[in-house]
Amino acid sequence: MSITILGIESSCDDTSASVLRDGVIHSNITATQTVHMAYGGVVPELASRAHQQNIIPVVDLALKEANVTADDIDAVAFTRGPGLLGSLMVGTSFAKGFALSKNIPLIEVNHLKAHILAHFIDDLKNTYDHPNFPFLALLVSGGNSQIIIVKDHMDMEVIGETIDDAAGEAFDKCAKVMGIPYPGGPVIDKRSKEGNPLAFEFSRPKIQGLNYSFSGLKTSFLYFLRDRVKENPNFIEENMNDLCASLQYTIVDVLMNKVKRAVRETGIKEVAIAGGVSANSGLQNAMKEAAVKLGWKVYIPQLGYSLDNAAMIAITGYFKYLKKDFVEQDTAPFARMTIK
């Protein structure tokens, strides 16, 4: 019997819907919000309003692209959290209404787990290489930097995480200081390819164990620019590529040092990266280099499945559907959720 899942993602500023049939993604539609660029970051109220405008046409297009109708859907999977509460409410409310109208099961999804389970996505164009259990996952995004042992699709253990800012947050905040518009991470990645990663040296945190900290790096970068701009008002413009390359090199180096330690301590040599920052070319290259030099097997998600998207919600929902792990209509979204 065929299983068809509708996935809904609305945790931040992307409205996304995906249709999965028997473990294969048939459509994955995402509407991005450009309104936030003028404010240098996501404005929660504006995000919620945009989700309300986008959710119905996005779902409609996802159904049409998958060549299915609403009556073909066997269950609805939705992001319960973490994320912006107003944004989550839009996706949650739509999913609940859809499931109620069709009398089908409702499946809650942890957004963080879904990023990791994106590595189990197959689509109509490709069958991808999937990690073997157990494997290590480096989850890096605007709000999270975690090292996780993935024992099964639903059994994950966090062994290291940031104690303050996340890696993606460090990228965006340092970009803002340089006058780069939001989101700054992709711009830094692009400019870094033309710069010298060893041109400037920035503070590296000395945190015990496998935990991360990026607040010190961010402050170090700010003070460095302040002092250099006093000497030369055009310092940032004249050294933009080298600044981007050196900053990216430092952040990636901090991330990789902890991952290498995690591999040594656990003995697990299959390593996956997940989350928005997994699209960063510097991090991807560092992972590939580690694979060659250290004998790791690394997994890098496709770009369309690394950023926030509903395909990762649908595949997570599929695994939960097989376990009959459903929720009731009184389920409410959570702004804060952890990987348990």
Side-chain angles (χ1 to χ4, degrees):
M1 180 179 175
S2 179
I3 300 171
T4 305
I5 307 289
L6 172 65
I8 304 291
E9 157 60 23
S10 68
S11 64
C12 190
D13 61 339
D14 290 316
T15 314
S16 187
S18 176
V19 174
L20 172 148
R21 173 162 284 178
D22 296 331
V24 177
I25 297 298
H26 284 237
S27 66
N28 185 40
I29 306 298
T30 302
T32 57
Q33 302 175 8
T34 58
V35 65
H36 308 286
M37 295 179 67
Y39 301 95
V42 177
V43 181
E45 179 61 27
L46 295 180
S48 302
R49 293 177 184 179
H51 283 304
Q52 288 179 307
Q53 295 172 341
N54 294 337
I55 187 74
I56 291 177
V58 164
V59 170
D60 183 58
L61 187 56
L63 294 174
K64 288 178 179 176
E65 187 171 297
N67 197 29
V68 299
T69 68
D71 293 332
D72 296 320
I73 304 300
D74 296 306
V76 184
F78 67 98
T79 302
R80 187 177 186 181
L84 300 175
L85 190 57
S87 295
L88 291 166
M89 287 180 66
V90 175
T92 301
S93 299
F94 181 90
K96 289 162 71 172
F98 191 103
L100 184 64
S101 68
K102 297 300 176 182
N103 193 30
I104 56 178
L106 194 61
I107 304 170
E108 66 166 17
V109 172
N110 182 312
H111 181 85
L112 304 179
K113 286 186 175 181
H115 268 304
I116 296 171
L117 294 180
H119 282 282
F120 294 91
I121 289 175
D122 290 319
D123 55 40
L124 293 175
K125 295 181 180 179
N126 294 289
T127 298
Y128 301 101
D129 192 17
H130 305 313
N132 298 298
F133 300 116
F135 66 92
L136 290 176
L138 173 63
L139 175 59
V140 273
S141 65
N144 296 277
S145 294
Q146 298 178 318
I147 300 175
I148 300 147
I149 298 178
V150 185
K151 305 172 184 177
D152 189 61
H153 295 119
M154 295 301 151
D155 186 4
M156 304 181 189
E157 178 188 357
V158 177
I159 58 174
E161 60 188 337
T162 182
I163 61 174
D164 43 54
D165 292 347
E169 192 175 4
F171 272 118
D172 287 337
K173 288 185 175 180
C174 289
K176 190 173 184 179
V177 173
M178 290 189 288
I180 297 174
Y182 176 87
V187 178
I188 289 178
D189 190 12
K190 183 178 180 180
R191 297 294 294 264
S192 69
K193 295 173 183 176
E194 305 298 326
N196 176 9
L198 303 178
F200 307 110
E201 188 169 343
F202 304 115
S203 171
R204 283 173 167 77
K206 295 179 175 60
I207 306 299
Q208 296 297 314
L210 297 173
N211 287 338
Y212 288 110
S213 170
F214 289 99
S215 63
L217 168 60
K218 183 183 62 180
T219 304
S220 168
F221 188 77
L222 174 62
Y223 289 162
F224 173 83
L225 290 184
R226 181 197 64 182
D227 295 341
R228 292 300 181 97
V229 169
K230 282 182 181 178
E231 301 169 0
N232 175 11
N234 298 317
F235 177 79
I236 295 177
E237 291 78 8
E238 293 173 0
N239 296 274
M240 180 66 79
N241 291 341
D242 285 348
L243 285 168
C244 289
S246 299
L247 176 66
Q248 178 164 295
Y249 175 81
T250 304
I251 293 175
V252 170
D253 191 49
V254 170
L255 290 170
M256 290 301 298
N257 283 339
K258 295 290 187 174
V259 175
K260 290 174 183 176
R261 179 170 178 170
V263 170
R264 290 195 302 268
E265 292 184 2
T266 64
I268 300 172
K269 289 194 172 184
E270 293 208 22
V271 185
I273 53 175
V277 181
S278 68
N280 180 274
S281 65
L283 179 57
Q284 292 187 2
N285 290 336
M287 289 290 292
K288 293 173 183 176
E289 184 178 331
V292 173
K293 291 184 176 180
L294 303 175
W296 298 1
K297 185 168 185 180
V298 303
Y299 300 88
I300 298 170
Q302 298 296 307
L303 180 60
Y305 302 137
S306 62
L307 305 177
D308 288 351
N309 67 92
M312 68 184 195
I313 306 302
I315 189 66
T316 306
Y318 175 71
F319 292 132
K320 298 188 82 169
Y321 184 94
L322 296 177
K323 295 177 178 290
K324 306 300 180 185
D325 186 0
F326 307 137
V327 294
E328 300 297 329
Q329 279 285 330
D330 60 357
T331 300
F334 291 132
R336 296 182 180 276
M337 290 182 73
T338 59
I339 291 178
K340 296 179 180 178

